[in-house]
Amino acid sequence: MFNKTYSGRPRRWKLILMLTFLLVIKGYTQKKVVNIGIVTTCEEESWPQFANAILNEARLLLKSEYRLVLDERNVLQGDCNPEQAKRNLDQLLARGSVDMVLGLDAISSHVLAKNGPYPKPVIAVTVLNAQVQNIPITSKGTSGVKNLTYLKLPYSPLRDLEVFQNLIGFKKLAILQDENLFNTIPEMKTYLDQGVTKQGVTYDFLFTENTAAATLNKLDAACDAVYLFPSDKLSDEAYQKLIDGINERGLKSFSLFGRLDVERGVLGGMAPTSNIEQIIRRIALNIQRYLNDEDLEDLNVKILQKEEFVINMATARKIDFSPSWDALAEAVLINEERDDIARTINIFDAISEGLEQNLDVEVARKDVEIVEEDATIAKSFLMPELNASASHTVVDENTANAGFGQNPQNKGAGSLQLSQTVFSEQVLANNRIQQYLLAAQKEALEVQSLDVVLDVATVYLNLMQAKTGELIQKQNLELTRKNLELARISSSLGQSGPSDLYRWQGEIATAKANLLNATASRRQAEIFLNQILNRPIDEEFNTEEIDLEDSRLLINNESIDGLVSTPKSFYQFADFQVERAMRVTPDLKQVDYNVQAQERSVLFNDRNRYLPAVSLGGNYNYEFYRSGAGSEFNTALGPAPNDWNWNLQVGASIPIFQGKRRTSQYQQSKVQLLQLNTQKLNLERIIEQQVRSELENIRASFRNITLTKEAEEAVVRNFDIVQDSYSKGAVTITQLLDAQNAAISARLNSANAVYVFLIDFLTMERASGSFYMLMSDQQKADYINEITTYFNN
């Protein structure tokens, strides 16, 4: 029970504060100092960074209990030989200022691991292969040597070479390694000799030099593959030059260090980056366990081997190497995005290109040209026609003589014929009808253009969805691989059985299949976009993401945003869009022109029953020459005619009876007009339905962007918790699978929500008859003014 007398509180709190202060001071003064000594055999720039990473990790584990100190005087570097490493080790063991010794590189670790027992704790960090190096290891996986532990590195050169051979099928292999390392551990060469020999290939063991150029000069011209061991001789810069030089020669490469080197340009590798982190963590834990009174000789030296088959696709392209489908499905691909593709497009470029190059639009343009010629032809019947003709006539002699000069044996003549339609209801009607049909065809071109804009935009957005889906499926595969590693760790600790391993292996196969399908969908979307843009079908290109904040999109206009902030204003905006669509959409304009053409056809069929057709004509004839029998006129019969003559005539015709055909044509045209008006009414209703429906879709899909993002964040957080619990054996594989599937689904939904919204928005604009992004600045201003005026009224 609490004391209810408050008069004693000041004294009590003073006492508590004094005790707390004394405890803190005591804890600080009693913090134990551990002085660390470091042995390395070669001067390499990466060792200080590696040592500090280990000590920093250990400090995090030890917190305030111990203070690890690394004096630079206790860091002894050698000249890359084991004798110097042994002398440095003995020197540090003899120093009273050193409490623990770490050997960082492979040579010093080999020396430290073979020369126990020790009076002080000794930890060898990088032992390549305890059995091959004849380093002591018990049946329990411990050193069994007093004050000694080491780490058997999670790298497997023979496994690397097996995967490397399956990847490229090399014929002659060069293995680049450090001379000092292999002189120190000659058993490693024997080990590799035996392993490579089993693969039945020719190989060379080559020692790295101090420069990349000198090392590259050692490569045989017949060599087609290179396997890289780390080298103390090459600086970080020189090692990068070596990798670049291998790629410039078009050689396939593989590295013991796996992803670390693959990210620098090596073609492939098996070791994940997490191996380095795992080594650092494990050494820090060994330091902690020793300081917590566990014996080093009883600590397990094995570390769980991880595999992560990685291929650098940029390197593959550079050396003109195409991995097999199986390798692409199995490996983690980095630099998969092409950086050597000149063509990069965004949605606006794609739309502009579609309007210029799309074949459907081109066909519609040709339709306009055809109808333009029809209109020109119809108009030509209103113009006068002038025709010229010439002839040469030959008749037999008897006939010529009997004609008395009227029909000579040889005669040449010519004529000009002029005709003009004075009045023809059919010609006048056809001319007007063709004008309406031309206007309708131009609107059909606009309809086709709007359809292509929506089609191109939809295909582009579908492509972005496919690319996002492919990326998420890659992430899913990575998650599944990570969960398989967790299952392996759990199985090694006895927290789960082999069934989890088999289940995750099955899930990896499923994830690979899903990734293959996603890749196929992405590629199909790219092919479709090329087709609709009239590009070479297999042409490669990069795409740009769509920015919802882009000012070219109507959704970013502040005036619009303010007008749809409430349900009432939203539906008023819908009314405006419907009203405007009825005025501007080319779909309705096309029908309007067809209606006007049919109205003129009805009028023609009515008038054609009683109006005459009136025409004017004239001829001018001239005789060029005559010869032979009968060419002379008999003047006794009368004077000789002129060589020329002309005539004019006016004609009119009117139908009297045609079996009621014209009456039936009139009735038929009226029915066709009624049909067109019905189609127009139906189209108006369809357009209104589409505009209002798409606005509802927009309202939902826009809100869905936020909701799916919130769902994704929540589900992903849940997955992280469940995955962590699974690693500790607290939940089952089924629970983790459910959480992972939910996370992947949520990511897909969240990513696709933006694209779904944009498709809905563009579909609404298409139904409304115009796209804001295609308007000029003046048209955009007029559009906004039109909206403002509508709302104000």
Side-chain angles (χ1 to χ4, degrees), residues 486-563:
L486 292 177
R488 285 175 177 162
I489 295 172
S490 180
S491 179
S492 67
L493 297 174
Q495 295 175 346
S496 64
S499 62
D500 277 18
L501 296 178
Y502 298 140
R503 180 67 184 275
W504 284 118
Q505 288 169 356
E507 290 297 323
I508 285 179
T510 300
K512 288 178 180 177
N514 291 337
L515 177 56
L516 285 174
N517 291 333
T519 301
S521 297
R522 184 262 303 166
R523 186 62 188 136
Q524 288 168 354
E526 290 173 341
I527 290 171
F528 194 4
L529 186 58
N530 277 333
Q531 181 271 324
I532 203 170
L533 296 182
N534 193 25
R535 285 275 191 170
I537 293 298
D538 60 346
E539 185 179 37
E540 295 179 317
F541 57 90
N542 291 321
T543 55
E544 295 179 5
E545 264 296 347
I546 301 162
D547 183 8
L548 284 179
E549 302 299 322
D550 196 301
S551 61
R552 287 171 286 187
L553 298 173
L554 178 61
I555 55 177
N556 290 314
N557 190 287
E558 294 181 358
S559 300
I560 300 296
D561 186 57
L563 294 176

Coordinates of all heavy atoms in Angstrom, one line a residue, residues 486-563:
L486 N 14.7 -18.9 -43.9 CA 14.3 -18.9 -42.5 C 13.9 -20.4 -42.1 O 14.1 -20.8 -41.0 CB 13.1 -18.0 -42.3 CG 13.4 -16.5 -42.5 CD1 12.0 -15.7 -42.4 CD2 14.3 -16.0 -41.4
A487 N 13.2 -21.1 -43.0 CA 12.8 -22.4 -42.8 C 14.1 -23.3 -42.5 O 14.0 -24.2 -41.7 CB 12.0 -23.0 -43.9
R488 N 15.1 -23.1 -43.3 CA 16.3 -23.9 -43.2 C 16.9 -23.6 -41.8 O 17.4 -24.6 -41.1 CB 17.3 -23.5 -44.3 CG 17.0 -24.2 -45.6 CD 17.9 -23.7 -46.7 NE 17.6 -24.3 -48.0 CZ 18.0 -23.9 -49.2 NH1 18.7 -22.7 -49.2 NH2 17.7 -24.5 -50.3
I489 N 17.0 -22.4 -41.4 CA 17.5 -22.0 -40.1 C 16.6 -22.7 -39.0 O 17.2 -23.3 -38.0 CB 17.6 -20.5 -39.9 CG1 18.6 -19.9 -40.9 CG2 18.0 -20.1 -38.5 CD1 18.6 -18.4 -40.9
S490 N 15.3 -22.5 -39.1 CA 14.4 -23.1 -38.2 C 14.6 -24.6 -38.1 O 14.5 -25.2 -37.0 CB 13.0 -22.7 -38.5 OG 12.1 -23.2 -37.6
S491 N 14.8 -25.2 -39.2 CA 14.9 -26.7 -39.2 C 16.2 -27.1 -38.5 O 16.3 -28.1 -37.8 CB 14.9 -27.2 -40.7 OG 15.1 -28.6 -40.7
S492 N 17.3 -26.3 -38.8 CA 18.6 -26.6 -38.1 C 18.5 -26.4 -36.6 O 19.3 -27.1 -35.9 CB 19.7 -25.7 -38.7 OG 19.5 -24.4 -38.4
L493 N 17.6 -25.6 -36.2 CA 17.5 -25.3 -34.7 C 16.4 -26.3 -34.1 O 16.2 -26.2 -32.9 CB 17.1 -23.9 -34.5 CG 18.1 -22.8 -34.9 CD1 17.5 -21.4 -34.7 CD2 19.4 -23.0 -34.1
G494 N 15.8 -27.1 -34.9 CA 14.8 -28.0 -34.4 C 13.5 -27.4 -34.2 O 12.6 -28.0 -33.6
Q495 N 13.3 -26.2 -34.7 CA 12.0 -25.5 -34.5 C 10.9 -26.0 -35.5 O 9.7 -25.8 -35.3 CB 12.1 -24.0 -34.6 CG 13.0 -23.4 -33.6 CD 13.3 -21.9 -33.8 OE1 13.0 -21.4 -34.9 NE2 13.8 -21.2 -32.8
S496 N 11.3 -26.5 -36.6 CA 10.4 -27.1 -37.6 C 11.0 -28.3 -38.3 O 12.2 -28.5 -38.2 CB 10.1 -26.0 -38.6 OG 11.2 -25.6 -39.4
G497 N 10.2 -29.0 -39.0 CA 10.6 -30.2 -39.7 C 10.9 -30.0 -41.1 O 10.8 -28.8 -41.6
P498 N 11.2 -31.0 -41.9 CA 11.5 -30.9 -43.3 C 10.3 -30.5 -44.1 O 10.5 -30.0 -45.3 CB 12.1 -32.2 -43.7 CG 11.5 -33.2 -42.7 CD 11.4 -32.4 -41.4
S499 N 9.1 -30.7 -43.6 CA 7.9 -30.4 -44.4 C 7.9 -28.9 -44.8 O 7.4 -28.5 -45.9 CB 6.6 -30.7 -43.6 OG 6.6 -30.0 -42.4
D500 N 8.3 -28.0 -43.9 CA 8.4 -26.6 -44.2 C 9.3 -26.3 -45.4 O 9.0 -25.5 -46.3 CB 8.8 -25.8 -43.0 CG 7.7 -25.5 -42.0 OD1 6.7 -26.2 -42.1 OD2 7.8 -24.6 -41.2
L501 N 10.5 -27.0 -45.4 CA 11.4 -26.8 -46.5 C 10.8 -27.2 -47.8 O 10.9 -26.5 -48.8 CB 12.7 -27.7 -46.2 CG 13.5 -27.3 -45.0 CD1 14.7 -28.2 -44.9 CD2 14.0 -25.9 -45.1
Y502 N 10.1 -28.4 -47.8 CA 9.5 -28.9 -49.1 C 8.4 -27.9 -49.5 O 8.2 -27.6 -50.7 CB 8.9 -30.3 -48.9 CG 9.9 -31.3 -48.5 CD1 9.7 -32.3 -47.6 CD2 11.2 -31.3 -49.2 CE1 10.6 -33.3 -47.3 CE2 12.1 -32.3 -48.9 CZ 11.9 -33.2 -47.9 OH 12.8 -34.2 -47.7
R503 N 7.6 -27.4 -48.5 CA 6.5 -26.5 -48.9 C 7.1 -25.2 -49.5 O 6.6 -24.7 -50.5 CB 5.7 -26.2 -47.6 CG 4.6 -25.2 -47.8 CD 3.5 -25.8 -48.7 NE 2.4 -24.9 -49.0 CZ 1.4 -24.6 -48.2 NH1 1.2 -25.3 -47.1 NH2 0.4 -23.8 -48.5
W504 N 8.2 -24.7 -48.9 CA 8.7 -23.4 -49.5 C 9.4 -23.7 -50.8 O 9.3 -22.8 -51.7 CB 9.7 -22.8 -48.5 CG 9.1 -22.1 -47.3 CD1 9.2 -22.4 -46.0 CD2 8.2 -21.0 -47.4 NE1 8.5 -21.6 -45.2 CE2 7.8 -20.7 -46.1 CE3 7.7 -20.3 -48.4 CZ2 7.0 -19.6 -45.8 CZ3 6.8 -19.2 -48.1 CH2 6.5 -18.9 -46.8
Q505 N 9.9 -24.9 -51.0 CA 10.5 -25.2 -52.3 C 9.4 -25.2 -53.4 O 9.5 -24.7 -54.5 CB 11.2 -26.5 -52.3 CG 12.5 -26.4 -51.5 CD 13.1 -27.8 -51.2 OE1 12.5 -28.8 -51.6 NE2 14.3 -27.8 -50.6
G506 N 8.2 -25.7 -53.0 CA 7.1 -25.7 -53.9 C 6.6 -24.3 -54.1 O 6.2 -24.0 -55.3
E507 N 6.6 -23.5 -53.1 CA 6.2 -22.1 -53.2 C 7.1 -21.3 -54.2 O 6.7 -20.4 -54.9 CB 6.1 -21.4 -51.9 CG 5.0 -21.9 -51.0 CD 3.6 -21.6 -51.6 OE1 3.4 -20.5 -52.2 OE2 2.7 -22.4 -51.4
I508 N 8.4 -21.6 -54.1 CA 9.4 -21.0 -55.0 C 9.1 -21.4 -56.4 O 9.1 -20.5 -57.3 CB 10.8 -21.4 -54.6 CG1 11.2 -20.6 -53.3 CG2 11.8 -21.1 -55.8 CD1 12.6 -20.9 -52.9
A509 N 8.7 -22.6 -56.7 CA 8.4 -23.1 -58.0 C 7.1 -22.3 -58.5 O 7.1 -21.8 -59.7 CB 8.1 -24.6 -58.1
T510 N 6.2 -22.1 -57.6 CA 4.9 -21.4 -58.0 C 5.3 -19.9 -58.2 O 4.7 -19.3 -59.2 CB 3.9 -21.5 -56.9 OG1 3.6 -22.9 -56.7 CG2 2.6 -20.7 -57.2
A511 N 6.1 -19.4 -57.4 CA 6.5 -18.0 -57.6 C 7.2 -17.7 -58.9 O 7.0 -16.7 -59.6 CB 7.4 -17.5 -56.4
K512 N 8.1 -18.7 -59.3 CA 8.8 -18.6 -60.5 C 7.8 -18.7 -61.7 O 7.9 -17.9 -62.7 CB 9.8 -19.7 -60.7 CG 11.0 -19.6 -59.8 CD 11.9 -20.8 -60.0 CE 13.2 -20.6 -59.1 NZ 14.1 -21.8 -59.2
A513 N 6.8 -19.5 -61.6 CA 5.8 -19.6 -62.7 C 5.0 -18.3 -62.8 O 4.7 -17.9 -63.9 CB 4.8 -20.8 -62.4
N514 N 4.6 -17.8 -61.6 CA 3.9 -16.5 -61.6 C 4.8 -15.4 -62.2 O 4.2 -14.5 -63.0 CB 3.5 -16.1 -60.2 CG 2.4 -17.0 -59.6 OD1 1.7 -17.7 -60.4 ND2 2.4 -17.1 -58.3
L515 N 6.1 -15.4 -62.0 CA 7.0 -14.4 -62.5 C 7.1 -14.6 -64.1 O 7.1 -13.6 -64.8 CB 8.3 -14.5 -61.9 CG 9.4 -13.5 -62.4 CD1 8.9 -12.1 -62.4 CD2 10.7 -13.7 -61.7
L516 N 7.1 -15.8 -64.5 CA 7.2 -16.1 -65.9 C 5.9 -15.6 -66.6 O 6.0 -14.9 -67.7 CB 7.4 -17.6 -66.2 CG 8.8 -18.2 -66.0 CD1 8.7 -19.7 -66.1 CD2 9.8 -17.5 -66.9
N517 N 4.8 -15.8 -66.0 CA 3.5 -15.3 -66.6 C 3.5 -13.8 -66.6 O 3.0 -13.2 -67.5 CB 2.3 -15.9 -65.8 CG 2.2 -17.4 -66.0 OD1 2.5 -17.9 -67.0 ND2 1.6 -18.0 -65.0
A518 N 4.0 -13.2 -65.5 CA 4.0 -11.7 -65.4 C 4.9 -11.1 -66.5 O 4.6 -10.1 -67.1 CB 4.4 -11.3 -64.0
T519 N 6.1 -11.8 -66.7 CA 7.0 -11.3 -67.7 C 6.4 -11.4 -69.1 O 6.5 -10.5 -70.0 CB 8.3 -12.1 -67.7 OG1 8.9 -12.0 -66.4 CG2 9.3 -11.6 -68.7
A520 N 5.7 -12.5 -69.3 CA 5.0 -12.7 -70.6 C 3.9 -11.6 -70.8 O 3.8 -11.1 -71.9 CB 4.4 -14.1 -70.7
S521 N 3.2 -11.3 -69.8 CA 2.2 -10.3 -69.9 C 2.8 -8.9 -70.2 O 2.3 -8.1 -71.0 CB 1.4 -10.2 -68.6 OG 0.7 -11.4 -68.4
R522 N 3.9 -8.7 -69.6 CA 4.6 -7.4 -69.8 C 5.1 -7.3 -71.2 O 4.9 -6.3 -71.9 CB 5.8 -7.2 -68.8 CG 6.5 -5.9 -68.9 CD 7.8 -6.0 -69.7 NE 8.7 -7.0 -69.2 CZ 9.7 -7.4 -69.9 NH1 10.0 -7.0 -71.1 NH2 10.5 -8.4 -69.4
R523 N 5.7 -8.4 -71.7 CA 6.2 -8.4 -73.1 C 5.0 -8.3 -74.1 O 5.1 -7.6 -75.1 CB 7.0 -9.7 -73.3 CG 7.7 -9.8 -74.7 CD 8.7 -8.7 -74.8 NE 9.2 -8.6 -76.2 CZ 9.4 -7.5 -76.9 NH1 9.1 -6.3 -76.3 NH2 9.9 -7.5 -78.1
Q524 N 3.9 -9.0 -73.8 CA 2.8 -8.9 -74.7 C 2.2 -7.4 -74.8 O 1.8 -6.9 -75.9 CB 1.7 -9.8 -74.2 CG 2.0 -11.3 -74.5 CD 1.0 -12.2 -73.7 OE1 0.2 -11.8 -73.0 NE2 1.1 -13.5 -74.0
A525 N 2.2 -6.8 -73.6 CA 1.8 -5.4 -73.6 C 2.7 -4.5 -74.4 O 2.3 -3.5 -75.1 CB 1.7 -4.9 -72.2
E526 N 4.0 -4.7 -74.4 CA 5.0 -4.0 -75.2 C 4.7 -4.2 -76.7 O 4.8 -3.3 -77.5 CB 6.4 -4.4 -74.8 CG 6.8 -3.9 -73.4 CD 8.2 -4.4 -73.0 OE1 8.7 -5.4 -73.6 OE2 8.8 -3.9 -72.1
I527 N 4.5 -5.5 -77.0 CA 4.2 -5.8 -78.4 C 2.9 -5.1 -78.9 O 2.9 -4.5 -80.0 CB 4.1 -7.3 -78.6 CG1 5.4 -8.0 -78.4 CG2 3.5 -7.7 -79.9 CD1 5.4 -9.5 -78.3
F528 N 1.9 -5.1 -78.0 CA 0.6 -4.5 -78.4 C 0.8 -3.0 -78.6 O 0.3 -2.4 -79.5 CB -0.4 -4.7 -77.3 CG -1.8 -4.4 -77.7 CD1 -2.1 -4.0 -78.9 CD2 -2.8 -4.5 -76.7 CE1 -3.4 -3.7 -79.3 CE2 -4.1 -4.3 -77.1 CZ -4.4 -3.8 -78.4
L529 N 1.6 -2.3 -77.7 CA 1.9 -0.9 -77.9 C 2.6 -0.6 -79.2 O 2.3 0.4 -79.9 CB 2.7 -0.4 -76.7 CG 2.9 1.2 -76.6 CD1 1.5 1.9 -76.6 CD2 3.7 1.6 -75.4
N530 N 3.6 -1.4 -79.5 CA 4.3 -1.2 -80.8 C 3.3 -1.4 -82.0 O 3.4 -0.6 -82.9 CB 5.4 -2.2 -80.9 CG 6.7 -1.8 -80.2 OD1 7.0 -0.6 -80.0 ND2 7.5 -2.7 -79.8
Q531 N 2.4 -2.3 -81.9 CA 1.5 -2.5 -82.9 C 0.6 -1.3 -83.1 O 0.4 -0.9 -84.2 CB 0.7 -3.8 -82.7 CG -0.3 -4.2 -83.8 CD -1.7 -3.5 -83.6 OE1 -2.1 -3.4 -82.4 NE2 -2.3 -3.1 -84.6
I532 N 0.0 -0.8 -82.0 CA -0.9 0.3 -82.1 C -0.2 1.6 -82.5 O -0.9 2.4 -83.1 CB -1.7 0.4 -80.8 CG1 -3.0 1.1 -81.0 CG2 -0.9 1.2 -79.8 CD1 -3.9 1.1 -79.8
L533 N 1.1 1.7 -82.3 CA 1.8 2.8 -82.7 C 2.5 2.6 -84.1 O 3.2 3.5 -84.6 CB 2.9 3.2 -81.7 CG 2.4 3.6 -80.3 CD1 3.6 3.9 -79.4 CD2 1.5 4.7 -80.3
N534 N 2.2 1.5 -84.7 CA 2.8 1.2 -86.0 C 4.3 1.2 -86.0 O 5.0 1.7 -86.9 CB 2.3 2.2 -87.1 CG 2.6 1.7 -88.5 OD1 2.7 0.5 -88.8 ND2 2.7 2.7 -89.5
R535 N 4.8 0.6 -84.9 CA 6.3 0.5 -84.8 C 6.7 -1.0 -85.1 O 5.8 -1.9 -85.2 CB 6.7 0.7 -83.3 CG 6.7 2.2 -83.0 CD 8.0 2.9 -83.3 NE 8.1 4.2 -82.8 CZ 9.3 4.9 -82.8 NH1 10.3 4.3 -83.4 NH2 9.3 6.1 -82.3
P536 N 7.9 -1.2 -85.4 CA 8.4 -2.7 -85.5 C 7.9 -3.4 -84.2 O 8.2 -3.0 -83.1 CB 9.9 -2.6 -85.6 CG 10.1 -1.2 -86.2 CD 9.1 -0.3 -85.6
I537 N 7.3 -4.6 -84.5 CA 6.6 -5.3 -83.4 C 7.6 -5.6 -82.2 O 7.2 -5.5 -81.0 CB 5.9 -6.5 -83.9 CG1 4.8 -6.2 -84.8 CG2 5.4 -7.4 -82.7 CD1 3.7 -5.4 -84.2
D538 N 8.8 -6.0 -82.5 CA 9.7 -6.4 -81.5 C 10.7 -5.3 -81.1 O 11.7 -5.6 -80.4 CB 10.5 -7.6 -82.0 CG 11.3 -7.3 -83.2 OD1 11.1 -6.3 -83.8 OD2 12.2 -8.1 -83.6
E539 N 10.4 -4.0 -81.4 CA 11.3 -2.9 -81.0 C 11.2 -2.7 -79.5 O 10.2 -2.7 -78.9 CB 10.9 -1.7 -81.8 CG 11.8 -0.5 -81.5 CD 11.4 0.8 -82.3 OE1 10.2 1.0 -82.4 OE2 12.3 1.5 -82.7
E540 N 12.4 -2.6 -78.9 CA 12.5 -2.4 -77.5 C 12.4 -0.9 -77.1 O 12.9 -0.1 -77.9 CB 13.8 -3.0 -76.9 CG 13.8 -4.5 -77.1 CD 15.1 -5.1 -76.6 OE1 16.2 -4.6 -76.9 OE2 15.0 -6.2 -75.9
F541 N 11.9 -0.6 -76.0 CA 11.8 0.8 -75.5 C 11.7 0.8 -74.0 O 11.3 -0.2 -73.4 CB 10.6 1.5 -76.2 CG 9.3 0.8 -75.9 CD1 8.5 1.1 -74.8 CD2 8.8 -0.2 -76.8 CE1 7.3 0.5 -74.6 CE2 7.6 -0.9 -76.5 CZ 6.9 -0.5 -75.4
N542 N 12.0 2.0 -73.5 CA 11.8 2.2 -72.1 C 10.6 3.1 -71.9 O 10.2 3.8 -72.8 CB 13.0 2.9 -71.4 CG 14.2 2.0 -71.4 OD1 14.1 0.8 -71.1 ND2 15.4 2.5 -71.7
T543 N 10.0 3.0 -70.7 CA 8.8 3.8 -70.4 C 9.0 4.7 -69.2 O 9.9 4.4 -68.4 CB 7.6 2.9 -70.2 OG1 7.9 2.0 -69.1 CG2 7.2 2.1 -71.4
E544 N 8.3 5.8 -69.2 CA 8.3 6.7 -68.0 C 7.1 6.5 -67.2 O 6.0 6.3 -67.7 CB 8.5 8.1 -68.5 CG 9.8 8.4 -69.2 CD 9.9 9.9 -69.7 OE1 8.9 10.6 -69.3 OE2 10.8 10.2 -70.3
E545 N 7.3 6.6 -65.9 CA 6.1 6.5 -65.0 C 5.2 7.7 -65.2 O 5.6 8.7 -65.7 CB 6.5 6.4 -63.5 CG 6.6 5.0 -63.0 CD 5.3 4.3 -63.0 OE1 4.2 4.9 -63.1 OE2 5.3 3.0 -62.8
I546 N 4.0 7.5 -64.8 CA 3.0 8.6 -65.0 C 2.9 9.3 -63.7 O 2.7 8.7 -62.6 CB 1.6 8.0 -65.4 CG1 1.7 7.2 -66.7 CG2 0.5 9.1 -65.5 CD1 0.6 6.3 -66.9
D547 N 3.0 10.6 -63.8 CA 2.9 11.5 -62.6 C 1.4 12.0 -62.5 O 1.0 12.8 -63.3 CB 3.9 12.7 -62.7 CG 3.9 13.5 -61.5 OD1 3.2 13.2 -60.5 OD2 4.6 14.6 -61.5
L548 N 0.8 11.7 -61.4 CA -0.6 12.1 -61.2 C -0.6 13.7 -61.0 O -1.7 14.3 -61.1 CB -1.2 11.4 -60.0 CG -1.7 10.0 -60.2 CD1 -2.3 9.5 -59.0 CD2 -2.7 9.9 -61.4
E549 N 0.5 14.3 -60.7 CA 0.6 15.7 -60.5 C 0.8 16.5 -61.8 O 1.0 17.7 -61.8 CB 1.7 16.0 -59.5 CG 1.5 15.4 -58.1 CD 0.2 15.8 -57.5 OE1 -0.2 17.0 -57.6 OE2 -0.4 14.9 -56.8
D550 N 0.9 15.8 -62.9 CA 1.2 16.4 -64.2 C 0.1 17.4 -64.6 O -1.1 17.0 -64.6 CB 1.4 15.3 -65.3 CG 2.1 15.9 -66.6 OD1 1.5 16.9 -67.1 OD2 3.1 15.4 -66.9
S551 N 0.5 18.6 -64.9 CA -0.5 19.7 -65.2 C -1.3 19.4 -66.5 O -2.3 20.1 -66.7 CB 0.2 21.0 -65.3 OG 1.2 21.0 -66.3
R552 N -0.8 18.5 -67.3 CA -1.5 18.2 -68.5 C -2.8 17.4 -68.3 O -3.6 17.3 -69.2 CB -0.6 17.5 -69.5 CG 0.5 18.4 -70.1 CD 1.5 17.6 -70.9 NE 2.4 16.9 -70.0 CZ 3.5 16.2 -70.4 NH1 3.8 16.2 -71.7 NH2 4.3 15.6 -69.6
L553 N -2.9 16.9 -67.1 CA -4.1 16.1 -66.8 C -5.1 17.0 -66.2 O -4.8 17.8 -65.3 CB -3.7 15.0 -65.9 CG -2.7 13.9 -66.4 CD1 -2.3 13.0 -65.3 CD2 -3.3 13.2 -67.6
L554 N -6.4 16.8 -66.6 CA -7.5 17.6 -66.1 C -7.6 17.5 -64.5 O -8.1 18.4 -63.9 CB -8.8 17.2 -66.8 CG -10.1 17.9 -66.3 CD1 -10.0 19.4 -66.6 CD2 -11.3 17.3 -67.0
I555 N -7.3 16.3 -64.0 CA -7.5 16.1 -62.6 C -6.6 17.0 -61.7 O -6.9 17.1 -60.5 CB -7.1 14.6 -62.2 CG1 -5.7 14.3 -62.7 CG2 -8.1 13.6 -62.8 CD1 -5.2 12.9 -62.3
N556 N -5.6 17.7 -62.3 CA -4.8 18.6 -61.5 C -5.2 20.0 -61.6 O -4.5 20.9 -61.2 CB -3.3 18.4 -62.0 CG -2.7 17.1 -61.5 OD1 -2.9 16.7 -60.4 ND2 -2.1 16.4 -62.5
N557 N -6.3 20.3 -62.3 CA -6.8 21.7 -62.4 C -7.5 22.0 -61.1 O -8.5 21.4 -60.7 CB -7.7 21.8 -63.6 CG -8.0 23.2 -63.9 OD1 -8.8 23.9 -63.2 ND2 -7.4 23.8 -65.0
E558 N -7.0 23.1 -60.4 CA -7.6 23.5 -59.2 C -9.1 23.9 -59.3 O -9.9 23.6 -58.4 CB -6.8 24.6 -58.6 CG -5.4 24.2 -58.2 CD -4.6 25.4 -57.6 OE1 -5.2 26.5 -57.5 OE2 -3.4 25.2 -57.2
S559 N -9.4 24.4 -60.4 CA -10.8 24.8 -60.6 C -11.7 23.6 -60.6 O -12.8 23.7 -60.0 CB -11.0 25.6 -62.0 OG -10.1 26.7 -62.0
I560 N -11.3 22.6 -61.2 CA -12.1 21.3 -61.3 C -12.2 20.7 -59.9 O -13.2 20.3 -59.4 CB -11.5 20.3 -62.3 CG1 -11.5 20.9 -63.7 CG2 -12.3 19.0 -62.2 CD1 -12.9 21.2 -64.2
D561 N -11.0 20.7 -59.2 CA -11.0 20.1 -57.9 C -11.9 20.7 -56.9 O -12.6 20.1 -56.1 CB -9.5 20.2 -57.3 CG -9.4 19.4 -56.0 OD1 -9.7 18.2 -56.0 OD2 -9.0 20.1 -55.0
G562 N -12.1 22.1 -57.0 CA -13.0 22.8 -56.1 C -14.4 22.5 -56.5 O -15.3 22.7 -55.6
L563 N -14.7 22.1 -57.7 CA -16.1 22.0 -58.1 C -16.7 20.6 -57.8 O -17.9 20.4 -58.0 CB -16.2 22.3 -59.6 CG -15.9 23.7 -60.1 CD1 -16.0 23.8 -61.6 CD2 -16.9 24.7 -59.4

